[in-house]
Amino acid sequence: MAELHTLQEYVEALRTAGILESTYVDEVTASLPISCLTYDSRKVEGSALFIVKGAHFKPDFLRNAIAQGAVAYVAAQAVENVLTPAIIVNDIRTALVVLGQLFYDHPTQALTTVGITGTKGKSTTTYYLRAILSAWLKSLGKQGPAILSSIKNFDGEREEEAHLTTPEPLELYEHFATARRAGISTMVMEVSSQALKYGRVRGMHFAVAAFTNISEDHISPIEHSDFEDYYTSKLKIFDAASVAVVNADADLAERTLAYARERCDVLTYGSSPEYSVCCPPESIHNTPHGIEFQVISSSYTGNFMISMPGRFNVSNALCAIAIAGELGVPEEFVRSGLRAAQVPGRMEMFHSRDERIVAVVDYAHNRLSYEAVLNSIHHEYPGYPLVAVCGATGIKALDRRRDIGEVMSAYCAKLYITEDDSYTEPFESIAAEIARYTTIPYEINQDRVQSIHAAMIDFPGKHVVLVLGKGEENTQARGTEYVRVQPDSDIVRGFITEYDAQSQSTTRTHSAP
């Protein structure tokens, strides 16, 4: 456990950062060692310093924290009718960084950190790199990397489902501190535009920062006001990086590269021989074991293979290869890692025995990822109508509702509109907006299990069912709570088994004398 610091040391850290406005702390309280730092009153224990933050904060939260042992609180303004010592700051987000780094003894400095951002491909690239590094580090008798992703987090002690692409600062530092304690030397993490815009990763350093691509997403009153704000937020990843790895085939690549080159060394990847890591498009082909492709770079050259379907994943593999080269990973572990890499809930394929039903489970949740998945499946399964099961999140990323309607209408025979993470917005209003942009037949059913059943079992003839958005997540955001649900992959697997049993029974009946 990190050394305990007194409340006065936290006050001085805020003062040094230039964000301290005033303090109302007596000498006795100032000398107390702080054993708990939190903004969740349910987690208060021991001598706690409580942080007042968030749009949903209520004074009762602070009172509950005090009742549980909080000795002081940090806030942007004093809370009325609370006599507990207050520390007032002019920037609560920066305060989180300053306080959290001190409490956890600057854990982000202890690990080699790779940050990956982009509209699409962050999770897959993160898991590809994790598999590569795991293979290499295991051969050296070392711990594999920690991972923070939009799918799952692993810090050396626990693996858990992620609710944010990039955790809030206190949770972020806790993961780093746990990884340091577990003897882990490397962290691979997805970095969201929100984390970059609002400073969740302020003060961190990235040995390598990767930028996979950019497309319009996360535009809403509570996220990004427009595309420019979204894009420039993502560019900030290069402000604290030693090396940038950039998809030179992506939209706005020249602008992205220009920004990166002003701040760090740059590696490029994509289809041109001029790039640092190149894959000639004509070298990509499907095999019974996966997708094979050629790589030309200063670190590695030759044919490589990924076992996951979807040719678009070659680009994600190139990104991981470029990062691995910068980190000095020997070629044999890049090859074996990529062959073994699997991403939970990403392009998981299920086939009925008679091949009349093919189901694809994927986390695709924005226009770029929808188009990549649907285009790939359309070409890989000619003659199979596509039907989709998906929904949109509530209160944020509002353009996704239009994107679902337009993209599914361009590729699919039918759309089943169902629940995603609705949060505090009524499902009915989300579904109605998706339907407004849909020009193909559709059904609306909030029950995700029933929607998947209808798409798989009730839709006639052979077809491909794309179940998008949730992957292997086992919670659903409803209101302000996360409700336990069955993962899409388990639901699909169950209905494939049901269909196969029914088909076998029907075949036996028809063949009986």
Side-chain angles (χ1 to χ4, degrees), residues 121-423:
K122 297 188 297 299
S123 299
T124 301
T125 303
T126 297
Y127 273 83
Y128 281 171
L129 184 61
R130 181 196 195 188
I132 291 169
L133 292 174
S134 293
W136 178 39
L137 293 171
K138 183 178 180 181
S139 76
L140 300 175
K142 297 181 179 180
Q143 289 267 27
I147 180 174
L148 297 175
S149 76
S150 56
I151 300 174
K152 290 185 178 180
N153 299 325
F154 172 72
D155 59 16
E157 290 186 5
R158 64 187 186 276
E159 185 172 64
E160 61 188 16
E161 182 175 311
H163 294 308
L164 290 175
T165 300
T166 308
E168 291 280 0
L170 297 191
E171 288 80 8
L172 182 67
Y173 304 146
E174 183 180 8
H175 283 303
F176 269 87
T178 303
R180 177 179 58 190
R181 186 168 60 247
I184 291 175
S185 61
T186 308
M187 172 71 78
V188 182
M189 61 181 292
E190 296 183 46
V191 185
S192 68
S193 59
Q194 293 285 289
L196 291 160
K197 178 177 180 177
Y198 294 116
R200 288 184 212 158
V201 293
R202 184 185 290 122
M204 288 181 55
H205 176 76
F206 297 106
V208 184
F211 198 106
T212 60
N213 46 57
I214 192 72
S215 178
E216 188 169 297
D217 196 19
H218 292 289
I219 312 301
S220 75
I222 64 170
E223 297 172 290
H224 298 282
S225 58
D226 53 30
F227 174 76
E228 183 67 13
D229 181 56
Y230 171 60
Y231 174 55
T232 54
S233 294
K234 283 196 171 292
L235 289 177
K236 291 179 181 178
I237 196 171
F238 300 128
D239 294 348
S242 295
V243 176
V245 171
V246 178
N247 180 356
D249 287 337
D251 290 347
L252 299 179
E254 286 305 315
R255 183 178 170 188
T256 303
L257 287 166
Y259 187 94
R261 283 173 177 142
E262 290 179 356
R263 292 158 176 82
C264 47
D265 296 333
V266 173
L267 297 174
T268 55
Y269 68 92
S271 59
S272 171
E274 299 176 359
Y275 301 158
S276 308
V277 178
C278 163
C279 171
E282 64 275 11
S283 75
I284 304 172
H285 61 277
N286 290 13
T287 77
H289 306 291
I291 300 172
E292 192 174 62
F293 57 98
Q294 184 182 12
V295 172
I296 303 170
S297 74
S298 60
S299 299
Y300 320 111
T301 297
N303 289 339
F304 287 70
M305 179 175 290
I306 53 175
S307 58
M308 286 178 59
R311 290 193 170 204
F312 56 85
N313 279 319
V314 171
S315 178
N316 299 321
L318 293 179
C319 185
I321 288 168
I323 298 169
E326 181 59 31
L327 296 178
V329 181
E331 183 171 316
E332 62 181 295
F333 301 109
V334 179
R335 292 181 181 280
S336 62
L338 285 177
R339 282 197 304 270
Q342 294 292 326
V343 184
R346 186 67 80 187
M347 290 299 287
E348 288 193 70
M349 307 291 295
F350 302 85
H351 299 255
S352 63
R353 288 198 190 99
D354 61 11
E355 293 293 329
R356 290 178 63 81
I357 298 177
V358 178
V360 182
V361 174
D362 193 83
Y363 279 104
H365 59 275
N366 57 46
R367 190 180 194 100
L368 200 59
S369 55
Y370 294 145
E371 289 177 337
V373 170
L374 287 162
N375 186 60
S376 177
I377 296 300
H378 171 72
H379 285 97
E380 290 181 29
Y381 290 90
Y384 279 71
L386 309 186
V387 297
V389 181
C390 61
T393 54
I395 71 176
K396 58 183 180 179
L398 304 181
D399 286 349
R400 289 180 185 171
R401 303 169 193 193
R402 176 202 64 205
D403 296 340
I404 289 173
E406 291 179 352
V407 175
M408 304 309 157
S409 295
Y411 285 93
C412 296
K414 188 169 183 177
L415 171 62
Y416 295 82
I417 302 170
T418 192
E419 184 180 23
D420 202 311
D421 293 319
S422 298
Y423 294 99

